[in-house]
Amino acid sequence: MAGGEAKRLVAAVDVGGTKIAAALVDQDGTLTARIQRPTPARAAAGVVLDTVLGLVDELAADPRWPEVGAVGIGSAGPVDAAAGTVSPVNIPAWRGFPLTARVAAHRAVDVPVTLIGDGVAIAEAEYWQGAAAGHRSALCMVVSTGVGGGLILDGRVHAGPTGNAGHIGHISVDLDGDPCPCGGVGCVEGLASGTAIARYALAHGWRALGEDATAAAVAEAAKGGDEVALAAFDRSARALAAAIAATATLVEIEAVVIGGGVAQAGPVLFDPLARHLDTFAALPFARGIRVHRARLGTDAGLVGAAAAALRS
C-alpha cells in the first residue's frame, strides 16, 4: 500500500461483538469493496486478530488498494486510542490488546492507522453524513448487541483523552441492578441492548416461533400487541431515557441520534422512549431534546472510522 499527500481512500475496519466489517471509503464517505465476517468473540486473541487481518488482506486484493492513504479502525470498547489498545466487553480474549500496532505491522499496511471506539465512530459518521449534521451538541448512540455512544460538543466530535467519552452503555441506571461484565452494576447495556430485551422477554414468558429468540423477534411480537414483548421494549426505552437525560443534564445536548439493530423496531422503541424522556429530562435546559433515528445504518462504524482517519 502506498501512501501519499492526499488520502484518496481509507481502509476502514469496524470491530463489533457480532461481526467485523471492512471497506474502502472515499473522501465523500462512499463505501466500496465492503466485506464482513462473524466475530469469533469467544476465541483466542490471535484468532480474532486473524479475522481482522484477513479482511485487510481481502481489501488489499482490490486494484484501488494503492490509493489508500490511511487505515481507520472503530472497535467495540472500551478502547485506549492513545495507547492503541482495545478491551471489548464482548471479546474476552482482548484485554489491553495492541490492535493498532498489530494492524500497523501487518505486511499489507504501510500507512498510518487510527483507532477510535465504536461509539465515537457512530458520532463521527452521523455528524459527517447523517442525522447529527447541523447540530452543535448531540449524543449519538448505537443500540444493538451492546450499547455504545459518542458525543458532539460545540460543533466537534469529543472523544476524550482515551477515546471513550460518551460510552453511555456503561452508565449505571439501576443501583440495585445486576452486575455487568464491565464490572459495574445496573448498566444501560444490561437493560437496553438487544440481548437484554430478548433475555427479559424469555424470562417473563414470551416464546419465540422456532429458534428466533432475538430482539427483532420480540419487536415483531410487540407490534402485534404481545404484552411481555411490549414490556421488554418499555424497559429498554426507560433505561435509555434515563441515560440520555443524565447526559443532557451534564452537557446540554440538543439532540440524540439512535441507530443499531434495536432502533429498527421503530415506534415500538421510540414511542416509550419519548414518554420516559419526558419524565426523566425534567430540568428546563434538558427538555425538548430532539430524537432522531440514525441514517447510516450498519455502515456507520465504517464511515466513522474513515472520517477519523481522514482527519488524522
Side-chain angles (χ1 to χ4, degrees), residues 7 70-71 112-116 305-312:
K7 299 174 183 177
V71 174
V113 178
T114 299
L115 171 69
I116 58 174
L310 284 166
R311 289 194 297 99
S312 295

Side-chain angles (χ1 to χ4, degrees):
M1 186 196 316
E5 293 183 4
K7 299 174 183 177
R8 289 174 288 178
L9 291 176
V10 171
V13 180
D14 178 22
V15 179
T18 302
K19 65 175 175 63
I20 301 174
L24 299 180
V25 186
D26 68 18
Q27 294 182 62
D28 295 322
T30 302
L31 273 63
T32 58
R34 188 190 187 284
I35 48 178
Q36 73 177 54
R37 298 286 180 271
T39 303
R42 299 294 167 182
V47 175
V48 185
L49 176 63
D50 285 346
T51 303
V52 172
L53 298 182
L55 290 170
V56 172
D57 285 338
E58 287 190 53
L59 291 182
D62 189 284
R64 291 161 294 180
W65 185 250
E67 299 179 36
V68 172
V71 174
I73 304 172
S75 174
V79 305
D80 188 331
T85 60
V86 299
S87 303
V89 173
N90 294 326
I91 305 177
W94 275 7
R95 291 293 174 267
F97 188 79
L99 183 57
T100 299
R102 295 295 179 86
V103 172
H106 189 53
R107 59 183 177 273
V109 178
D110 63 1
V111 294
V113 178
T114 299
L115 171 69
I116 58 174
D118 58 352
V120 176
I122 296 296
E124 289 271 13
E126 290 293 334
Y127 188 51
W128 182 27
Q129 299 280 340
H135 290 294
R136 288 192 57 78
S137 298
L139 168 68
C140 297
M141 301 178 64
V142 57
V143 186
S144 187
T145 306
V147 177
L151 288 167
I152 298 152
L153 300 177
D154 295 326
R156 59 188 300 177
V157 175
H158 177 76
T162 65
N164 292 290
H167 200 43
I168 195 167
H170 295 283
I171 289 177
S172 179
V173 291
D174 182 358
L175 300 182
D176 298 315
D178 294 331
C180 178
C182 78
V185 173
C187 290
V188 174
E189 184 168 290
L191 297 165
S193 69
T195 306
I197 289 168
R199 183 172 59 240
Y200 177 91
L202 287 167
H204 288 79
W206 173 77
R207 291 293 175 265
L209 296 175
E211 297 182 358
D212 191 22
T214 63
V218 179
E220 287 304 309
K223 291 172 185 176
D226 184 286
E227 292 186 2
V228 173
L230 286 166
F233 270 89
D234 185 79
R235 178 174 179 260
S236 173
R238 189 168 186 266
L240 293 173
I244 293 166
T247 303
T249 302
L250 285 172
V251 296
E252 294 196 60
I253 56 172
E254 303 166 349
V256 58
V257 176
I258 302 177
V262 174
Q264 302 305 309
V268 168
L269 175 70
F270 285 94
D271 287 353
L273 175 61
R275 185 175 68 254
H276 289 303
L277 194 54
D278 192 55
T279 298
F280 284 112
L283 293 170
F285 65 86
R287 299 187 68 82
I289 301 168
R290 284 162 282 185
V291 179
H292 305 287
R293 285 183 62 171
R295 293 180 187 166
L296 297 176
T298 57
D299 288 335
L302 292 168
V303 175
L310 284 166
R311 289 194 297 99
S312 295

